[in-house]
Each structure stands twice: as C-alpha cells, then as structure tokens.
Amino acid sequence: MKLFVSEGNPHCLKVLAALEGAEFRCDVQFVNHEEKVVPFLSRPSLPALLFPNGQYLFSPNAICRYMFEVSGQECSEACDQWLEWETTELQPALLQALHMAVLRGKESEVPKVLAGPLSYLDQSLTKATTSYLTGDVVSVADLVVCAALHPILSASSLASGEQKSVRVWFDRVAASRGFVSASNKVLQGKGLQAMKSFMQSSQCRGATQPCNSGPTEGEEMERAVSQEEMEAAALNWHKGVNSAPAPTDRLHPILPQEGRRNILMTSALPYVNNVPHLGNIIGCVLSADVFSRYARLRGWNSLFVCGTDEYGTATENKAREEGLTPQQICDKYHAIHASIYEWFQIDFDFFGRTTTDKQTEIAQNIFWRLHKNGFLVEEMVEQLRCEKCQRFLADRFVEGTCPYCKYPDARGDQCDKCGRLINAVELKEPHCKVCGQTPVIRSSKHLFLDLPKLEAQLERWLDKSTCSGDWTANAKQITRSWLRDGLKPRCITRDLQWGTPVPHPDFKEKVFYVWFDAPIGYISITANYTDKWEQWWKNPDQVELYNFMAKDNVPFHSVVFPCSLLGAQDHYTLVNHLIATEYLNYEDTKFSKSRGVGVFGDMAKDTGIPSDVWRFYLLYVRPEGQDSAFSWADMALKNNSELLNNLGNFINRAGMFVSKFFDGCVPAMELLQEDKKLLAVVGWELQQYIQLLDKVKIRDGLKHILNISRHGNQYIQVNEPWKKIKGGDAERQRAGTVTGVSVNVACLLSVMLLPYMPAVSQTIRDQLNAPHSCVSAALRGTGAFARVLDPGHRIGTVSPLFQKLEVEQIEALKKRFGGQQPEDELPNEKMATPNAAGPQSAAALATPATEADPEKARQLTQAVAEQGEKVRAMKAQKADKTVVMAEVSKLLELKRLLALADGKSPEPAPVKGKK
C-alpha cells in the first residue's frame, strides 16, 4: 500500500499521526498538494491511500479509521461519534479559523470562531471520567481531533487558556508516539505559515468559505460522473411520474396515523409584547416553516403549531406604557404577529396563544402531578423590589453587571455574554428597567421544580434523544453545560398578576413563571386545535417532536420543560430533535426597536421587496453554526447574482425556448451522453438536498438548488439551442432535446424551491403548467430526477421571476433602517418620520435659509429621492433627451436647496469637458 501526502496540508497531519499511532505499515510518498493522485476525481484530493488492487481511499478520517482497524484496534460507537463531530462541526469552524489566521492575518478572530467547538470539547472532557475522548488510551478519535486542532493550539498567539481540560488533553495526545514526527513532516516547523500555499489553492477551488455567508456562487467544482450513474439517471428519467398520486388537501384536524412517520413541529412562542425582527423570524418560525413544508413534500404526516406567548411582566409593562389592559395588549399584538407571519408565508397548521382556558387547565394539571409526585419544593426567596414602582421586579425587568464576566447589561435571569444563569439578587449595581431606581432586597415564599431529583431521569432521556435525534451542536453543548455542574432547583412561581394562576391555596397570590408556563403553551395550543391533542402529546412511541428556536431558549426546552413532563409521569411526548440557531445581527450591530436599527417584521412589507426574496436571503445567511449578519449590500448581491442571474435566468430561458421555438409545447427528446450526464449531476444534487434537509441542514440544502440552476445554465450555454434551432433537422432535434431537458429541470427546481420560496415555486409551476403530481413525486424516497413534462405538454405564459435591486434603492433602505442620531447630535430637533404626502415642488421649498432647517431638510430629502427615482425611470424607458434633461435640472435645483437647508454652501455643479 502507498500513502500519498503533502506538506502544509492539515489533513495529512491526521493520517501520519494515525500511521504511527496504529503502527500501520505502508510506503509514504510526499507529493505537491496540487498533484491529482486519484485519477477519477476532478480535483486534487490528499491524503490518499492506494491499495494493491488499484482502489483508493481518500477521506482522511476513513484512512485513519482503516489503519486502526487493520492494526486490530476496534473503533467504538463513541469513537465514530467523535469522528462525525470532527467532520461536521469542527472542520467547518477550523477552515474558517485557518482562513482568518493564514490568509487574512486576523488572528484575533480565531478564538471567537472556534469558541463553540472548543467549549463543547472542553465540557465533554471535563465531564468524562477517562483521560482521553473514549477511554484511557489514545484512540483514533483522539489523534484525528488533536491533529485537526494542532495548527491552532500549537500556535502561542492563538492558544486559549480558557479551556483547561482541552489544553491538558491536547498536550497529552500531542506528546504521544509519532505525533511530533508527523507534525514536523507536514508543517516543517513553520507553524501556520506552512499552510499558506495549501490554503490559497484550497480557496481557489472553493474549499474554504467566507465567514458570514451561505453557499457562494461557483464554490462547487464539477464532480466526476460514472457511466453507471448516467445510465441509471436515464432510466429514472424515462420512468416519468405520470403514475404518481396528486397531492391532496390537508384535512383538519391532522392526527397521528398508524404506519406513517408522524412529526409534530413547534417553533419557540414569540413574546406578544413586541414586533419580531428578522433575527426572531429566522430563529424560529421561518426555519420551522421550511422544514414543515419539506415534511409535507416527503409525504410525512406532520403538524406545525405555534402561537404568541402572552403572560408575564413584559406584557404588564407594555400595557402600562400604552395605557391598555394586558388582555388588550395581547389581542393587539397577537393580530400584528399573525399578520407579519402571514406576509412571510409562514404556513402554520394552527397559530394560537397562551391566554386560554386550555392553558390554565393543562398547566395546573402538570403542576398538581409534579406536586403529587414530590418534585416541588418550597423555599424563601430574596427578590429585588422597586419601591418606586411598588412591585417585585421580574427577572427581565432588572439589569446590572454580571457577577461572573462583568458584562454591564446582564438581565436578572441570564447573562447574554457568558450565558450563565443568574439570580437577580446576584447582579452588581442592579437597576429597575422601568424607572431606573436601585431596587431593594425583600423575601417571599416560592415553589421550585426539584431539578436535582429529576436529573438522573433527564440524563437517561438525553443520552437517548441526543444520540438518536437531530440535535444541533449548540443545543447539545448548551444542555451539557447546564448538567456539567449539576442541576439546581428552579423557581416556577412569580409575584405577578398577569399569568396562569397557581392553584395551590398557599400560593394563590402568585402566578406561574413564564419559563415553566410558556412551553406548556405548545400543548394547550394543540388542545385548542383539536380535542384529540393527547394523540400528539401523550404518544412518544408514534410521534417525533421537533423544536425550533434560537440558542438562548435551549435550556428551557432541553432541561426545564422535559423535567416538568418527566416529573408529571403522564407519558408525555418529549423532544426528539432540537434545532437551535445562533444569532442573526443587523449589519455590524444588534437589532434595536428603540434606536430604529434593523428591519422588523411589520417593516419588511413596506420596502417593496417580495416576501420570497426576504425568505431566500434570511435562509441563505441562516446562523446555523455561528452568528451571522443581515447585510443590505449582501442581500442585493445575492438577489442579483443568485436569484436573478442564476436561478431566474435559467428557468426563464428554459420556458422561453419552449414558447419561442416550439410554439409552447415541450419538444421530443433524444438523450445523448451529455444529457445523461446532466441528469446524473442533477439527480446527485437532488439526493444531497434530501439528505441535508432530512437532517434539518436548511442553509446547506439551498446550495444544491442553486447548484442545479448553475449546471442548467452551463448546459444551455454549451449547447446553444438558439443557434441550433436555425440549422438542419439534426440540429433542430438537438435544440429540442436541450430545451425539453432544461424545462424539466426547471420543473424540478420549482418543487425543491417550495419550502424556501413558496410563491415563486407556485409561479414557476403555473408558468410551466406543471401537473400536480410533480409536487408529491419529486422528493419521495431517496429522490430520483424523473421526466415530468412529456413531449407535447403545453406550458403557460413565461415571464421573469425576479427584479434587480438597484444600488440607490439599497442605499436608501440601509439609511432608513440604520437608526437615528442621538438627540444631542442633531442640529436643532429630533428628526421626524418622513411624511407620506408625496413630493413637494421646488418652489414650495425655496425659502432662503442661512442656517440649518431640519424640517425643510427632511422634506427636501424626500423630494430629492422621489425626483431621482423619476429621472432614473425616464432614462430606463429611453425618454426624449430634452424631457429628461428638464427633469435633471429640477433634481439639481432640489439638491441645491437641500444643501441650503442643511446649512451648507451649495457647490456649483461641474461642467463636463471643462476644467
């Protein structure tokens, strides 16, 4: 056997370390990292292990595992789990960290990029009773993970001292047999700089991905396709889908069915007291909606419920601010939320609320069962009370300095910076968020959920659920961090008025704490949907439960709520798959309603950008593995490049060729090798899409849709049907085949797009007059690309799907949602909201001004923007030049007046052609 490796390649460090550790014998040959060793791959792939029979193994972890097993060292299930974690969770973060450190010189960013994986590794090592990841000897998992981290942790400028268990483990493994030798051979003693050439070539091939982006154009290289794949793809194509059943309307109430996969989906209940921003929307309801729509396409029996979380101090405070009762606030904002989600096309099966009789009934029933089973304890609690407001302060209405990390804006229940749980009385320099006064400490008797008593049950359930279900890495990490130091009793009552009443006579003046009460809302909302709610919520053997949320909600869904249901001992359905996102920021800051920073749900509609484009971009930058940011410039770029020039261009061309060249009817198709190759490539992308979405990898799934349209555009470009249609019979036949194949690919894309962009998906199918059967057939089973639009099928009217986002439009939106200046920075008065009365004439605004006039400046800014839009529209329509110039003159005059209103001296406009 021969092992091919290269210098500067971090993956080669793994296999050389494993080679020594497993005492495996083979010939090692160093080659250039650009050398194509494996002949059937389209690009270089090292390391590679060549067997005597001519076969290759070229996955680094697979090579390492093979070496250990051949040497008689079995790989345990735990070992396989760590190898999978290294591939799926650690490697993406490492690639980004190395990209930052080696190519961009931003070494200070590396600890932040790797914080999640290192924290998870540290917690696992801290909790373990063994010296290494899977036992008391170095396993293949230790060598693989250690070698992957070696370039970072061995660099003194990047090594972090915060993860002590990681450092002890790393030093121990790195000192093991052959590791130092392997490191010297690969890195040549040059550290990170040894990898510069490798990283640069990998970047050119699309192997490294920018920090804050989803899939990028051109990142996928063409993959090799075998003859067997092409023939199988052609066979699937010819089968067609004419026999597939058409989708039926969903009949409510939807209930679990024997013999089917029954999926219950919830997204975190949004607080009713405010309008959700884009980060809230992508963090729960939009992500859940994509998976819900996908589940229906897969033919699973699914139910998607959500609703507004309406109890608690936040609602009381909002009511006081607006001069309404709490119930009126709930009614008002429930309607606002419902309207926003409807515009974003969030297709709930039922959208309810928590201020219902069912909520009271079910929450109190769970409470009494916990009480009866001995899982509640009474304790006197020291609380913060605001004497000015004459009330105890709920956790989220007191802020101060975190006692652990010194973050100055920690809340009374949790610090957003370090993630530690806090008792409000532990805060340093606390203050009431309502009036700003310093609260005092007072005592009150409360009920606690006895989490320590439930910890063993929880651990057993978690081990099963996290191993068998799809839990995101941050969900596992956050949950384990709670369990690491042992659970503590959790208070479930509050001294409030607006909430579910505690039925115990000794606590009749109290209500349930929102984080005990709110998750029960999933159950009560289902109970308001159907009387047979127990078929979903007390049926763990037949029902799979998916929870969608942002990472700050994880502990309440993975610890507190499951413990409540376990302690109730009523055979409740517990979460099988916990899907948590990181945070979405706005540009380079946080969303802030008070400062006018960021786009909130009720504002998106007013931008004029379709909801499907909003959905696409939010899903494109979905913060799956780390925080990401909404960017206006990036949104315009992705709209114009991916939607307009890639996806929309392909679908529009395919349909237009049918209309223009073949009188609106799909032509006959005779497949050649290159057509079969396209079918195989599209089929592979479809299978990847299904595998990813089955695992709720929503952002990654979108990449394969865009890849297919890229393949389609290239296929059309190479075959040039617009030229061949003018040739002889053979060339016209070729043009027909290319057109027929392309329009069928477009039809497949319409189905794959449905979870992401439902309105666009429907528009494409309407334009293609696609049969209903295509929706139910495309994603069933493992996925096979089959012909849907047969020769002779008549399509509908084809028109462009997307519009370009112009620079001026995006700049105006960025300015509009970028927040206002602080009052002390404004010239005279706080800026007013632009009125909607329409443009004013220059004459009406021409009052001379020698000093700044904010109101006039506001009006003129509006007039300049509208006149500019008018000029651009006239130019685009190629209006008469003299008419355009007259309007340009008006625009220049408005700009001159605006400069005056701003207190500036207007500069004369430069004359073209003269100095």
Side-chain angles (χ1 to χ4, degrees):
M1 280 183 280
K2 184 177 289 187
L3 177 65
F4 295 93
V5 293
S6 63
E7 294 177 4
N9 184 335
H11 299 297
C12 295
L13 177 57
K14 295 182 192 178
V15 297
L16 288 178
L19 184 72
E20 295 287 346
E23 298 182 2
F24 185 79
R25 300 297 177 192
C26 73
D27 178 26
V28 179
Q29 183 172 334
F30 277 82
V31 297
N32 187 287
H33 56 73
E34 290 287 5
E35 189 170 335
K36 189 177 169 184
V37 172
V38 186
F40 54 82
L41 293 182
S42 60
R43 58 183 178 183
S45 181
L46 292 171
L49 183 64
L50 173 62
F51 292 91
N53 62 2
Q55 292 184 332
Y56 287 89
L57 200 56
F58 48 89
S59 163
N61 289 5
I63 294 173
C64 295
R65 195 179 192 281
Y66 174 80
M67 289 175 176
F68 267 68
E69 289 190 338
V70 169
S71 302
Q73 301 179 44
E74 290 295 325
C75 290
S76 65
E77 184 179 346
C79 198
D80 284 339
Q81 289 174 0
W82 275 110
L83 292 177
E84 181 183 0
W85 175 82
E86 190 273 344
T87 301
T88 60
E89 305 296 342
L90 180 60
Q91 276 301 325
L94 270 175
L95 275 175
Q96 183 181 325
L98 291 171
H99 176 86
M100 299 293 289
V102 178
L103 299 184
R104 298 180 64 184
K106 294 187 176 181
E107 295 186 356
S108 60
E109 297 290 320
V110 170
K112 183 166 63 175
V113 172
L114 290 176
L118 286 178
S119 178
Y120 176 75
L121 181 60
D122 188 68
Q123 290 163 17
S124 301
L125 289 166
T126 303
K127 193 175 179 67
T129 57
T130 57
S131 302
Y132 299 98
L133 291 176
T134 61
D136 288 319
V137 295
V138 176
S139 69
V140 64
D142 292 289
L143 286 174
V144 165
V145 177
C146 183
L149 287 168
H150 185 273
I152 296 293
L153 295 186
S154 60
S156 58
S157 59
L158 301 180
S160 171
E162 293 181 7
Q163 290 89 15
K164 294 180 181 178
S165 295
V166 169
R167 174 52 60 185
V168 171
W169 163 84
F170 175 80
D171 291 342
R172 189 185 294 134
V173 178
S176 62
R177 177 187 174 97
F179 203 99
V180 175
S181 173
S183 173
N184 289 335
K185 289 176 182 177
V186 174
L187 301 181
Q188 296 287 300
K190 300 175 184 176
L192 290 171
Q193 288 308 305
M195 295 186 293
K196 189 168 184 178
S197 176
F198 170 77
M199 294 297 294
Q200 287 172 335
S201 62
S202 297
Q203 185 181 32
C204 292
R205 297 195 303 266
T208 57
Q209 188 170 305
C211 310
N212 178 41
S213 72
T216 52
E217 183 173 358
E219 72 173 0
E220 284 295 320
M221 301 295 289
E222 183 179 357
R223 62 183 293 272
V225 181
S226 67
Q227 186 65 38
E228 291 78 8
E229 284 182 281
M230 288 191 276
E231 293 306 322
L235 183 63
N236 284 325
W237 163 267
H238 287 302
K239 287 180 181 178
V241 295
N242 293 333
S243 60
T248 57
D249 293 332
R250 290 168 66 78
L251 300 177
H252 294 278
I254 300 163
L255 297 173
Q257 297 177 17
E258 196 76 40
R260 292 188 66 185
R261 187 179 181 189
N262 300 298
I263 292 178
L264 174 60
M265 281 164 283
T266 72
S267 58
L269 306 182
Y271 285 124
V272 79
N273 64 296
N274 217 329
V275 177
H277 57 64
L278 298 181
N280 303 138
I281 290 168
I282 186 60
C284 53
V285 295
L286 179 53
S287 295
D289 179 69
V290 171
F291 190 69
S292 173
R293 291 175 180 274
Y294 173 74
R296 297 173 198 172
L297 288 176
R298 292 286 277 151
W300 302 332
N301 186 45
S302 63
L303 179 68
F304 176 24
V305 297
C306 187
T308 42
D309 177 9
E310 301 190 348
Y311 282 131
T313 308
T315 306
E316 281 188 10
N317 194 56
K318 192 70 172 180
R320 187 166 55 253
E321 287 177 10
E322 297 195 14
L324 300 172
T325 66
Q327 188 61 61
Q328 287 172 328
I329 282 291
C330 293
D331 294 342
K332 172 184 174 180
Y333 281 93
H334 176 82
I336 291 172
H337 276 262
S339 174
I340 289 168
Y341 302 140
E342 182 180 4
W343 187 79
F344 273 97
Q345 303 175 78
I346 310 299
D347 193 15
F348 304 111
D349 288 308
F350 188 73
F351 184 71
R353 53 201 306 185
T354 56
T355 51
T356 65
D357 291 340
K358 287 291 185 185
Q359 174 73 11
T360 302
E361 175 189 334
I362 295 171
Q364 290 184 347
N365 174 265
I366 290 174
F367 165 82
W368 279 123
R369 295 185 71 88
L370 288 167
H371 188 274
K372 173 188 172 185
N373 295 330
F375 294 118
L376 298 180
V377 292
E378 297 180 10
E379 287 187 23
M380 293 299 295
V381 176
E382 290 188 332
Q383 293 178 258
L384 295 179
R385 178 179 172 84
C386 179
E387 296 299 328
K388 183 173 181 180
C389 296
Q390 286 294 298
R391 62 188 216 160
F392 286 103
L393 296 179
D395 296 337
R396 293 193 174 232
F397 280 83
V398 58
E399 287 185 348
T401 301
C402 174
Y404 301 105
C405 71
K406 313 306 178 189
Y407 179 59
D409 296 318
R411 300 192 310 265
D413 60 348
Q414 191 172 10
C415 174
D416 282 339
K417 184 176 181 182
C418 70
R420 298 283 288 271
L421 292 181
I422 300 170
N423 288 322
V425 293
E426 296 174 335
L427 287 172
K428 307 298 183 184
E429 301 175 352
H431 60 270
C432 171
K433 281 191 67 176
V434 178
C435 69
Q437 293 291 311
T438 301
V440 297
I441 297 176
R442 294 284 184 269
S443 295
S444 178
K445 187 168 72 171
H446 284 273
L447 284 164
F448 284 70
L449 180 61
D450 195 347
L451 293 179
K453 199 172 182 179
L454 289 157
E455 186 168 358
Q457 288 186 59
L458 181 72
E459 286 265 25
R460 287 193 296 273
W461 165 74
L462 275 173
D463 286 343
K464 180 181 177 182
S465 182
T466 55
C467 287
S468 62
D470 293 315
W471 286 53
T472 53
N474 58 356
K476 293 179 183 178
Q477 174 190 326
I478 292 167
T479 302
R480 289 299 172 190
S481 70
W482 267 55
L483 292 166
R484 182 180 55 197
D485 301 323
L487 296 179
K488 298 174 178 60
R490 187 76 178 169
C491 188
I492 66 167
T493 55
R494 285 293 185 268
D495 287 298
L496 304 174
Q497 295 178 337
W498 186 246
T500 302
V502 178
H504 195 292
D506 294 346
F507 298 88
K508 59 185 179 182
E509 300 299 322
K510 302 183 190 297
V511 299
F512 288 129
Y513 174 41
V514 67
W515 273 116
F516 172 77
D517 185 62
I520 296 173
Y522 300 132
I523 304 174
S524 72
I525 288 168
T526 311
N528 278 295
Y529 165 71
T530 173
D531 301 355
K532 300 176 181 177
W533 61 272
E534 291 185 349
Q535 291 188 29
W536 285 108
W537 281 102
K538 295 185 180 181
N539 191 2
D541 297 329
Q542 282 192 317
V543 173
E544 291 178 62
L545 175 58
Y546 283 78
N547 288 162
F548 289 81
M549 69 204 67
K551 64 181 178 182
D552 57 336
N553 287 339
V554 166
F556 306 104
H557 289 79
S558 64
V559 177
V560 178
F561 186 40
C563 278
S564 299
L565 299 182
L566 286 168
Q569 296 178 4
D570 204 14
H571 205 58
Y572 273 104
T573 303
L574 301 178
V575 62
N576 304 92
H577 315 274
L578 203 155
I579 315 300
T581 62
E582 300 291 317
Y583 293 136
L584 179 75
N585 295 316
Y586 179 78
E587 297 286 354
D588 56 354
T589 187
K590 291 184 177 182
F591 289 85
S592 172
K593 188 78 169 179
S594 61
R595 292 187 292 116
V597 175
V599 181
F600 286 72
D602 55 348
M603 302 172 180
K605 184 178 181 180
D606 298 334
T607 62
I609 299 172
S611 66
D612 264 7
V613 175
W614 283 104
R615 286 175 62 109
F616 165 80
Y617 183 65
L618 289 174
L619 292 162
Y620 194 100
V621 296
R622 183 174 183 260
E624 292 188 0
Q626 65 186 64
D627 292 355
S628 63
F630 173 89
S631 161
W632 282 109
D634 190 53
M635 183 183 189
L637 176 65
K638 297 305 184 292
N639 176 84
N640 298 343
S641 62
E642 293 290 12
L643 292 184
L644 189 63
N645 295 337
N646 175 17
L647 182 67
N649 181 55
F650 169 70
I651 292 171
N652 188 251
R653 291 170 87 187
M656 287 300 295
F657 291 156
V658 176
S659 298
K660 186 176 180 180
F661 301 148
F662 301 97
D663 196 28
C665 290
V666 175
M669 293 161 273
E670 294 181 7
L671 300 182
L672 301 181
Q673 282 296 97
E674 61 181 306
D675 306 314
K676 294 178 182 179
K677 180 180 179 182
L678 177 70
L679 300 184
V681 169
V682 170
W684 183 84
E685 298 282 2
L686 172 61
Q687 290 167 9
Q688 299 305 304
Y689 168 94
I690 289 173
Q691 290 173 22
L692 287 165
L693 264 71
D694 278 359
K695 294 290 186 180
V696 207
K697 300 291 186 182
I698 293 171
R699 189 184 67 190
D700 292 341
L702 184 56
K703 173 182 67 175
H704 293 282
I705 296 175
L706 301 174
N707 283 348
I708 288 175
S709 57
R710 266 192 282 278
H711 293 309
N713 274 315
Q714 184 179 13
Y715 172 72
I716 288 176
Q717 208 62 32
V718 168
N719 284 282
E720 299 180 324
W722 62 91
K723 290 183 180 178
K724 289 183 170 58
I725 196 68
K726 300 174 183 177
D729 290 345
E731 288 195 313
R732 288 181 62 82
Q733 173 60 53
R734 185 70 194 136
T737 298
V738 172
T739 299
V741 169
S742 297
V743 80
N744 270 280
V745 174
C747 189
L748 172 68
L749 285 171
S750 75
V751 180
M752 296 173 72
L753 273 172
L754 196 155
Y756 296 89
M757 306 177 78
V760 168
S761 168
Q762 185 62 57
T763 298
I764 297 169
R765 283 179 281 124
D766 290 344
Q767 290 186 7
L768 299 180
N769 192 25
H772 292 305
S773 57
C774 73
V775 176
S776 58
L779 304 188
R780 299 296 168 91
T782 57
F785 177 33
R787 189 185 69 246
V788 175
L789 308 181
D790 295 327
H793 172 85
R794 180 166 292 279
I795 69 170
T797 303
V798 178
S799 60
L801 296 169
F802 305 107
Q803 290 185 334
K804 185 178 181 181
L805 291 177
E806 301 289 351
V807 173
E808 297 86 352
Q809 178 187 3
I810 289 300
E811 286 301 315
L813 289 169
K814 186 174 181 179
K815 184 177 180 181
R816 174 180 166 190
F817 294 105
Q820 298 178 350
Q821 292 174 285
E823 289 189 35
D824 57 359
E825 294 180 18
L826 292 172
N828 287 325
E829 58 184 275
K830 191 173 182 180
M831 294 175 71
T833 304
N835 71 42
Q840 300 186 48
S841 68
L845 300 168
T847 307
T850 56
E851 57 184 52
D853 186 340
E855 177 58 24
K856 191 166 293 179
R858 178 192 66 75
Q859 295 172 348
L860 280 162
T861 299
Q862 179 79 4
V864 166
E866 292 174 356
Q867 184 66 14
E869 286 293 326
K870 184 176 180 181
V871 169
R872 281 188 291 274
M874 294 178 71
K875 287 181 177 180
Q877 294 164 8
K878 294 183 169 51
D880 184 84
K881 189 173 182 180
T882 56
V883 177
V884 174
M885 290 308 297
E887 296 300 329
V888 169
S889 297
K890 293 180 185 178
L891 177 60
L892 293 174
E893 175 62 11
L894 284 168
K895 288 183 176 180
R896 186 186 71 80
L897 294 171
L898 176 58
L900 288 169
D902 281 335
K904 302 173 184 175
S905 297
E907 296 287 335
V911 180
K912 288 184 178 179
K914 296 183 180 180
K915 291 185 180 179

